[in-house]
Amino acid sequence: MSLDYSAVPRLPDGRTALEHIEAVAALSRAVRVPMGNGGTMMWRVWGVDSGKPILLLFHGGSGSWVHWIRNVVPLSQHYTVYAPDMPGLGDSDPPDDVRDIWSVTKCVRTAVDVVLPKTHSFFLTGFSFGGMVSGHLSTLMPERIKRIVLVGAGGLKARRKPGPKLHKLLPEMPAETLVNEARRNLEILMLHDPRNVDGVAIHMQIMNTTRARTRSRDMGIAGALSNVLPQVHTPLTGIWGEFDSTTYPYIQERIDLFRALQPDFQMNVVPGAGHWVAYEAADAFNAKLIEVLSR
């Protein structure tokens, strides 16, 4: 059953959200590579053959590269940007076990080795579920990753303030219902200021969550990142939204957790932003990420 996006608000210039998403994607090169289990993983690359340092962006749970839609073009002025769809999400095929973080990570490792020559090292930024994958990947190829920037990383065994339950988006929902439910979920989980929930965010939420197969939430509840952190020796840095719904008001617990393992860990907090800080405060996020990676 096809989804009805007709109620998704248009951009101020009159374009649809999909037209904007496709315009940003058109600036990239799409590359589909094998990931070792018979399936393939979709990557999009901005700044191909630029010779600039390589930056990988791993999106969040039930997401796709569109989590980085406000970041890929500005960051490509400084880096060759690789933004894949994680296995079982976006346009990528599923891993063997959609509930197992190692099943996902091993597929990602195989794909990285295909899409990037093994002589190439890179920076890695992981948002939410992408932070879990980043930590696990660093234990498999520590010699290749120069630094990991965790952005609102999930899978940490730390306190989280209870909140309303998200509603499942279903293809058979009428257009207005889809938009209203997507908006509600975005306001609860992703964005701090409801005024920042726009058509692109709503379209992304509907498109990504209705096709997600990998069960990232199960991995987060199991504390996947905390379980592997003692084996992570790649330098870590954090960028968090001040009001991240998965963290606030317990951010100090995350800082203490990371500094117990890496005493020089730095947490950068973006004022006024929620969990999806790379979208809600894109300019501040982009500037901070460039600063962190330039140190």
Side-chain angles (χ1 to χ4, degrees):
M1 181 179 295
S2 61
L3 293 158
D4 187 349
Y5 292 97
S6 61
V8 175
R10 288 176 175 258
L11 276 65
D13 61 11
R15 290 181 301 153
T16 66
L18 181 60
E19 286 171 336
H20 175 65
I21 293 168
E22 290 178 338
V24 176
L27 300 174
S28 71
R29 178 184 295 176
V31 183
R32 185 175 285 279
V33 300
M35 55 186 192
N37 69 338
T40 60
M41 186 171 173
M42 175 61 80
W43 294 69
R44 289 171 178 82
V45 189
W46 286 261
V48 175
D49 300 326
S50 69
K52 295 173 183 175
I54 296 169
L55 171 62
L56 274 56
L57 301 176
F58 287 0
H59 64 76
S62 297
S64 71
W65 75 267
V66 184
H67 276 167
W68 305 107
I69 194 165
R70 290 184 172 176
N71 319 109
V72 287
V73 174
L75 292 174
S76 70
Q77 304 304 307
H78 303 268
Y79 305 95
T80 303
V81 176
Y82 288 74
D85 290 347
M86 293 286 104
L89 301 172
D91 291 326
S92 292
D93 293 328
D96 292 326
D97 186 344
V98 297
R99 288 179 170 83
D100 179 53
I101 186 69
W102 283 113
S103 186
V104 172
T105 303
K106 289 173 183 176
C107 287
V108 173
R109 179 194 182 176
T110 299
V112 169
D113 281 340
V114 174
V115 81
L116 284 173
K118 293 184 179 181
T119 55
H120 288 45
S121 59
F122 52 85
F123 296 109
L124 178 53
T125 298
F127 167 50
S128 198
F129 169 61
M132 287 190 266
V133 178
S134 298
H136 285 72
L137 186 65
S138 73
T139 69
L140 301 180
M141 47 173 56
E143 71 288 348
R144 298 193 63 185
I145 306 173
K146 293 188 282 189
R147 177 172 294 276
I148 296 174
V149 180
L150 299 170
V151 182
L156 295 171
K157 293 178 180 178
R159 281 184 293 175
R160 177 172 174 173
K161 186 178 179 180
K165 188 174 181 179
L166 301 180
H167 290 172
K168 188 174 180 62
L169 304 184
L170 303 171
E172 61 268 22
M173 286 178 172
E176 290 287 351
T177 304
L178 267 176
V179 166
N180 291 337
E181 295 288 16
R183 181 185 296 278
R184 175 186 179 275
N185 288 350
L186 286 162
E187 291 179 2
I188 290 171
L189 176 63
M190 298 288 272
L191 301 169
H192 174 62
D193 189 338
R195 293 172 296 180
N196 292 327
V197 179
D198 61 3
V200 174
I202 290 170
H203 187 104
M204 180 283 303
Q205 189 75 1
I206 296 170
M207 177 177 66
N208 287 337
T209 58
T210 54
R211 60 180 174 167
R213 289 162 288 178
T214 292
R215 304 294 294 272
S216 54
R217 186 172 180 273
D218 294 350
M219 303 172 200
I221 292 172
L225 183 54
S226 283
N227 292 339
V228 81
L229 273 179
Q231 287 77 53
V232 175
H233 302 296
T234 305
L236 300 173
T237 303
I239 301 179
W240 252 252
E242 178 185 9
F243 297 108
D244 187 323
S245 62
T246 71
T247 300
Y248 183 84
Y250 304 116
I251 195 166
Q252 190 60 46
E253 286 191 17
R254 276 77 175 168
I255 297 171
D256 293 343
L257 186 156
F258 288 119
R259 287 186 178 165
L261 299 168
Q262 295 194 11
D264 60 348
F265 173 85
Q266 294 296 317
M267 176 67 84
N268 302 275
V269 178
V270 178
H275 184 51
W276 192 13
V277 58
Y279 190 83
E280 187 165 20
D283 290 344
F285 174 84
N286 293 337
K288 181 56 66 176
L289 181 58
I290 292 167
E291 175 192 328
V292 165
L293 298 181
S294 299
R295 289 174 186 166

